[in-house]
Amino acid sequence: MLLKEIMSNTFSSAAEHTAAVDAMRDFYQTSQRTLNRLMSSKGVSLAKTKTMLFIHRQGKVRSADLVEAFGFAPRTITEALDALEKDGLVERVVDTVDRRVKYISLTPEGVTALQQSEPLRERFTEQLFEVLSNEEKAQLARLLGRLNDRLRELGEGIAADEASA
């Protein structure tokens, strides 16, 4: 009887986790697709905007900074930067001290494109979250904050395990 109860609790708990994970994944995918479709209809993609926004906030970055921030393969970042550079939105500048290092920054055209896309993102976010009360938004932020804290803890544990192996 005890084993049956343990198994039942384990499966129901797993089902609850699965439902939450599925809901978060569906929300993320649907919101990203919808926002990308909106932005693409105005001439900018969400992926380009995310990269440009990171560069803008940092001032200037190296490819390695983008690899670390986004978790993509170096080749993927290089291809994205090549496309942005071809569109005249970013420029690569060789470091005067270490010629092996190239810094990436936004061009004036890149800054303009980013400024034009930001109101789209803001309006989308406002329209998305208007279905929630202020209390629900605060609760959602708290819950996601707890999950993010837990993810950091798990990541630190994994890193510690990797270092000791």
Side-chain angles (χ1 to χ4, degrees):
M1 183 68 161
L2 182 59
L3 181 60
K4 184 177 180 180
E5 185 178 317
I6 291 171
M7 293 299 286
S8 174
N9 287 343
T10 300
F11 288 125
S12 67
S13 178
E16 290 168 6
H17 296 152
T18 300
V21 168
D22 288 348
M24 286 191 303
R25 183 197 63 239
D26 291 347
F27 173 81
Y28 176 79
Q29 289 176 342
T30 303
S31 65
Q32 297 299 293
R33 277 191 216 119
T34 304
L35 181 55
N36 188 55
R37 194 168 60 235
L38 170 67
M39 294 181 75
S40 293
S41 73
K42 303 298 183 188
V44 293
S45 75
L46 180 57
K48 284 183 179 181
T49 302
K50 285 180 179 180
T51 304
M52 292 169 50
L53 190 57
F54 181 83
I55 294 168
H56 183 66
R57 287 180 177 159
Q58 301 300 315
K60 63 180 181 177
V61 298
R62 298 168 301 135
S63 293
D65 299 326
L66 294 166
V67 167
E68 184 178 329
F70 291 104
F72 294 133
R75 181 75 190 142
T76 303
I77 294 296
T78 298
E79 290 172 357
L81 291 172
D82 288 347
L84 288 168
E85 189 173 37
K86 181 181 174 204
D87 292 343
L89 301 173
V90 301
E91 63 183 352
R92 292 177 171 121
V93 177
V94 176
D95 184 37
T96 56
V97 176
D98 185 349
R99 295 186 46 81
R100 295 172 297 173
V101 176
K102 289 185 180 176
Y103 286 105
I104 299 113
S105 59
L106 294 183
T107 62
E109 293 82 5
V111 172
T112 299
L114 198 56
Q115 289 170 339
Q116 291 173 347
S117 69
E118 199 56 27
L120 290 172
R121 289 170 20 100
E122 289 174 6
R123 188 169 50 250
F124 174 79
T125 302
E126 288 171 10
Q127 290 174 340
L128 176 63
F129 284 96
E130 70 186 7
V131 300
L132 299 177
S133 69
N134 288 340
E135 182 179 306
E136 289 170 323
K137 291 176 207 174
Q139 181 181 18
L140 178 61
R142 280 191 304 275
L143 292 172
L144 292 173
R146 286 176 54 195
L147 288 174
N148 280 324
D149 289 344
R150 182 62 179 146
L151 282 171
R152 280 187 282 281
E153 289 172 5
L154 293 171
E156 291 167 3
I158 291 168
D161 290 346
E162 290 172 344
S164 67

